[in-house]
Amino acid sequence: MKPEVILHSFGYLTQAAATTVAVSFAGILFGFMIGAAVCAARVSRRVWLKRVGAAYVSVFRGVPLLVQLLFIYYFLAKYGLDVPAIVAAVGGLALSSAAFQAEILRGALNAVPRGQGEAATALGFGPLDIWRRILLPQALRISVPPLINEFILLLKASSLVSVVGIAELTRVSMNIASQTYRPFEAYVGGGLFYLAINLCFAALGGLAERRLAAGSGQ
């Protein structure tokens, strides 16, 4: 092993790591927005909304992310919709993650005791106030650990966006390997960056979880 290969490529790997984090963060953020809407549909009293939400979750959890990315980037272009690579990458990650986040949020809502909503109704709270002040804060607190886990999984899955030409960690590691003929060092370097990023976000997630628990008095 030649550590100097990793040291020489450190700058390129750092830039690629920044791209990986940015794409992943955008994917998780937009995925949360879509997932919240899908979750609302899943818990709605309207049957057709429940079915739409369930169909979305089934499709985007059942189809591999790689297939989704290829569909957005290549298939849509065939019919005149030329999607930029970065839009395809973020969109694919967001649509896929939204299905998982929707189920995380739905599970968190179901974990909140129903009696709290009934008690709030008896005290004169309106439906919007019940959601805003009672149900959502508790559901978000419950969902923090699985959402952090989903972000870490999405960050690792972001390696697939290399298929649409995004210069993230995996693509740059492959380029370094092909240029230096030292694949072991190139992929070890990329792997170490993935590990460092995931450990940082796991630590931040643990800190957020502890603060939320302290704020709730638990």
Side-chain angles (χ1 to χ4, degrees):
M1 180 175 176
K2 294 184 177 180
E4 59 269 21
V5 174
I6 300 175
L7 294 175
H8 179 74
S9 307
F10 187 82
Y12 299 107
L13 290 172
T14 301
Q15 293 178 3
T19 301
T20 294
V21 172
V23 170
S24 301
F25 184 79
I28 203 77
L29 179 62
F30 287 113
F32 182 83
M33 296 177 186
I34 300 170
V38 175
C39 175
R42 292 277 278 151
V43 300
S44 173
R45 295 180 180 179
R46 298 181 181 180
V47 177
W48 70 271
L49 275 177
K50 285 187 175 182
R51 290 178 177 175
V52 170
Y56 180 95
V57 170
S58 296
V59 170
F60 284 95
R61 285 205 308 181
V63 177
L65 175 58
L66 179 60
V67 175
Q68 296 176 38
L69 289 168
L70 294 173
F71 179 88
I72 295 171
Y73 190 66
Y74 292 106
F75 183 79
L76 295 181
K78 184 177 179 181
Y79 292 93
L81 187 58
D82 191 9
V83 181
I86 189 64
V87 175
V90 173
L93 291 175
L95 291 171
S96 177
S97 180
F100 294 93
Q101 292 192 64
E103 291 300 277
I104 291 172
L105 294 173
R106 187 169 72 93
L109 283 172
N110 290 335
V112 178
R114 293 183 180 273
Q116 295 191 17
E118 296 171 357
T121 301
L123 291 172
F125 284 87
L128 183 60
D129 285 333
I130 293 174
W131 274 92
R132 184 169 58 90
R133 296 185 178 184
I134 299 173
L135 298 181
L136 285 181
Q138 295 185 75
L140 288 175
R141 190 178 301 117
I142 294 170
S143 65
V144 166
L147 284 176
I148 293 296
N149 186 57
E150 169 61 18
F151 180 77
I152 292 174
L153 290 174
L154 185 72
L155 193 143
K156 292 188 290 185
S158 68
S159 61
L160 296 174
V161 304
S162 61
V163 300
V164 298
I166 300 297
E168 44 70 62
L169 269 173
T170 299
R171 171 57 70 90
V172 171
S173 297
M174 293 171 63
N175 292 342
I176 294 171
S178 64
Q179 292 171 6
T180 61
Y181 299 101
R182 304 293 301 185
F184 181 76
E185 289 84 349
Y187 294 125
V188 165
L192 289 174
F193 269 89
Y194 275 116
L195 178 61
I197 294 169
N198 285 328
L199 289 176
C200 288
F201 279 107
L204 289 174
L207 178 62
E209 186 179 354
R210 289 191 295 272
R211 289 195 173 184
L212 287 172
S216 64
Q218 297 177 354

